[in-house]
Amino acid sequence: MNIQAELFNGPCICGRSHRIEVKEIVIGNHAADALFQKLKDGSPAEYGRPLILCDTNTEKAAREKLQAVWQLCGELKLPADNLHADNHGVELVHRALDERMERGEPVPGLLLAVGSGTIHDLTRYIAHERGIPFVSVPTAASVDGFVSTVAAMTWNGMKKTLPAVSPIGVFADTDIFSRAPWRLTASGVSDLLGKYVALADWRIAHEVTGEYICQRVCRMEEEAMEAVCQCMAGLRAGEADAYEKLMYALLLSGLAMQMIGNSRPASCAEHHVSHLWEMEVINGHVDALHGEKVSIGLVLNISLYKKIARAIREGSCRVKPYEGLEEELLHATFGAKGLYESVLQENTPDPMKAVDPDRLAEKLPRIAEIIEALPSEEELVQLLRESGCIYDVSQIGLTEDIIPLTMRLSPYVRNRLSFNRMRKMLDWPES
Ligand SMILES: [Zn+2]
Ligand SMILES: [Zn+2]
């Protein structure tokens, strides 16, 4: 299964011209061979000696199938323990690259990210900083960010989206990523199901503020969600075909982000929950995967949105004036970790400034309609449970009492308008 990425390039019904950076996407048990051929034909003339970036776990997962590729490349292997997409991880890679050069090894002409989310974020950031192209070799169908053009990083404690580059190609070999631990695959499923909230947030923001939206991109995300729902049983049965469908869906969602130039189509209120917990301002360290936290963010936001939609229909939801940033609360929570300035900066300008109270009031029925099109909390939880995904805070070592503050604070971690943020201008019986 290949994806012809260039089909998504060029002028669109939304009035913009989309730009896709990734040139080639190969999914299947022939992907390792396709990559080998590519390197053999292109290297060293085109790529110099390529360098594989992996960690001790992803090396184990991929080396056997990639044996021929490995022989053509150098290797930079990071310790998997405590490896994160953060400034420490970046430093490790820079240092290792510098040491290689001090030993007289040539600058690599191409980097190969052999791993899942963390290795990809580190590689795309380093590739951008050093001006080296990179190729993606996913070892698990665990996130939708393989072809992302930005790196999701924790920088000195603050969750940030930093400039990075897209891979020029993705070679996803089924024999590698379908054998990943189930927890990683389930995390990929969750990351995709999170789009229910992300898309609703984008649509609502478009209705209320006139924010740009592309219907074609929305359709791609929906197609990705449909694909993942269809392949669920096959995934549990370990069918290669189902794994390829999941990888296809993840990459399609990634391409949707490339078309927009940021993660707007694929990440909003549900991801904000995940980012907040990663910053550890109201909780201790949460030992959970990206998709696992997104999963809970999805359920929490769906639950809230459905309540508000019901109140709108009952006529008991009212718009109230916006009171500005909750500075005292932000100071008490983010400030305790020295992140108050960063969070203020992130919220400048305040995305709520774009929300006009009259227009919000007028759009309430349309908002209810968008929310009613989403699956119910019960349906989602059942789907997540059956798929072996996470759906409750207790499963990642948190307790229920963290939920109210999580929902109140999470909109502040990113300068992106979610409906959860807009609710700061809403009053309804349960609020
Ligand atoms: Zn478009
Ligand atoms: Zn995600």
Side-chain angles (χ1 to χ4, degrees):
M1 187 190 289
N2 292 5
I3 301 181
Q4 282 186 288
E6 73 274 14
L7 292 180
F8 301 102
N9 242 333
C12 176
I13 45 164
C14 67
R16 286 193 186 177
S17 187
H18 299 297
R19 212 181 124 84
I20 294 285
E21 308 285 338
V22 58
K23 305 277 181 279
E24 187 173 12
I25 297 181
V26 182
I27 309 169
N29 59 10
H30 62 296
D33 290 340
L35 175 59
F36 173 71
Q37 280 308 326
K38 181 142 203 94
L39 295 180
K40 212 169 122 246
D41 298 345
S43 168
E46 205 176 335
Y47 298 129
R49 187 168 154 82
L51 180 68
I52 290 174
L53 234 105
C54 60
D55 67 41
T56 40
N57 288 341
T58 61
E59 184 224 1
K60 267 188 224 130
R63 189 165 195 144
E64 199 188 324
K65 185 74 198 261
L66 289 175
Q67 215 168 9
V69 169
W70 230 278
Q71 278 168 4
L72 294 178
C73 302
E75 172 196 296
L76 198 167
K77 183 164 58 178
L78 300 162
D81 275 350
N82 253 323
L83 185 67
H84 300 289
D86 57 13
N87 40 328
H88 174 68
V90 166
E91 228 177 85
L92 275 182
V93 181
H94 272 314
R95 212 182 306 142
L97 282 172
D98 290 343
E99 279 166 15
R100 292 177 66 85
M101 275 179 243
E102 279 158 24
R103 286 199 303 269
E105 296 191 36
V107 180
L110 181 74
L111 297 173
L112 269 65
V114 177
S116 58
T118 303
I119 285 290
H120 274 77
D121 276 325
L122 290 173
T123 307
R124 84 178 80 254
Y125 183 77
I126 297 282
H128 173 70
E129 286 218 311
R130 299 218 172 200
I132 307 171
F134 92 98
V135 157
S136 154
V137 185
T139 53
S142 56
V143 288
D144 71 350
F146 294 118
V147 297
S148 172
T149 49
V150 293
M153 292 267 181
T154 308
W155 215 254
N156 300 321
M158 184 80 186
K159 271 307 277 194
K160 290 230 182 249
T161 301
L162 298 175
V165 285
S166 157
I168 53 170
V170 181
F171 295 85
D173 198 287
T174 324
D175 289 337
I176 299 171
F177 70 80
S178 74
R179 289 178 190 151
W182 176 254
R183 202 181 153 192
L184 289 167
T185 306
S187 186
V189 168
S190 290
D191 202 14
L192 276 173
L193 293 179
K195 276 41 171 179
Y196 278 120
V197 164
L199 275 185
D201 278 340
W202 196 15
R203 288 191 164 119
I204 293 171
H206 168 70
E207 293 287 342
V208 175
T209 69
E211 184 185 322
Y212 160 78
I213 199 165
C214 172
Q215 297 302 341
R216 185 174 165 214
V217 165
C218 289
R219 196 52 220 126
M220 285 168 72
E221 291 287 3
E222 279 165 352
E223 195 197 317
M225 281 194 287
E226 282 156 21
V228 76
C229 289
Q230 282 164 12
C231 71
M232 219 77 98
L235 287 176
R236 293 301 272 173
E239 291 165 16
D241 196 44
Y243 276 86
E244 283 166 20
K245 247 193 203 129
L246 173 61
M247 184 55 82
Y248 167 82
L250 290 166
L251 292 169
L252 193 64
S253 174
L255 287 175
M257 290 190 260
Q258 264 198 17
M259 286 168 78
I260 302 303
N262 59 52
S263 62
R264 184 40 144 157
S267 161
C268 205
E270 75 300 330
H271 273 73
H272 295 164
V273 168
S274 168
H275 298 330
L276 175 74
W277 289 339
E278 279 157 38
M279 290 166 71
E280 301 176 8
V281 290
I282 56 167
N283 52 275
H285 180 67
V286 175
D287 188 19
L289 299 170
H290 170 72
E292 295 175 335
K293 287 169 278 187
V294 169
S295 224
I296 301 173
L298 164 68
V299 174
L300 292 179
N301 280 288
I302 286 271
S303 164
L304 172 76
Y305 289 12
K306 290 283 181 185
K307 278 182 199 147
I308 301 178
R310 275 195 294 275
I312 292 173
R313 292 304 189 197
E314 285 161 7
S316 59
C317 179
R318 306 250 173 278
V319 175
K320 62 180 180 184
Y322 181 54
E323 290 171 359
L325 298 180
E326 295 164 274
E327 286 179 26
E328 227 168 280
L329 176 68
L330 295 178
H331 194 262
T333 48
F334 290 91
K337 274 244 165 167
L339 296 173
Y340 181 58
E341 292 304 321
S342 314
V343 86
L344 283 189
Q345 207 181 359
E346 181 66 35
N347 286 280
T348 310
D350 185 346
M352 286 295 284
K353 291 253 162 71
V355 181
D356 173 65
D358 294 335
R359 176 134 180 206
L360 177 57
E362 184 192 310
K363 289 288 180 183
L364 286 180
R366 174 70 188 124
I367 291 173
E369 202 176 276
I370 292 170
I371 294 170
E372 282 158 359
L374 302 173
S376 70
E377 183 186 349
E378 294 72 27
E379 284 169 326
L380 260 181
V381 168
Q382 193 188 348
L383 184 65
L384 291 167
R385 188 191 287 135
E386 281 172 5
S387 323
C389 297
I390 297 290
Y391 51 88
D392 190 85
V393 284
S394 63
Q395 294 170 298
I396 60 165
L398 294 171
T399 49
E400 295 236 321
D401 52 11
I402 202 160
I403 295 172
L405 199 50
T406 295
M407 297 304 280
R408 200 169 150 197
L409 279 176
S410 56
Y412 292 114
V413 303
R414 282 290 154 84
N415 198 318
R416 177 170 291 164
L417 193 55
S418 64
F419 184 57
N420 185 25
R421 183 135 186 182
M422 270 184 227
R423 88 180 157 119
K424 295 187 191 290
M425 282 175 76
L426 296 177
D427 242 338
W428 73 98
E430 276 182 67
S431 62

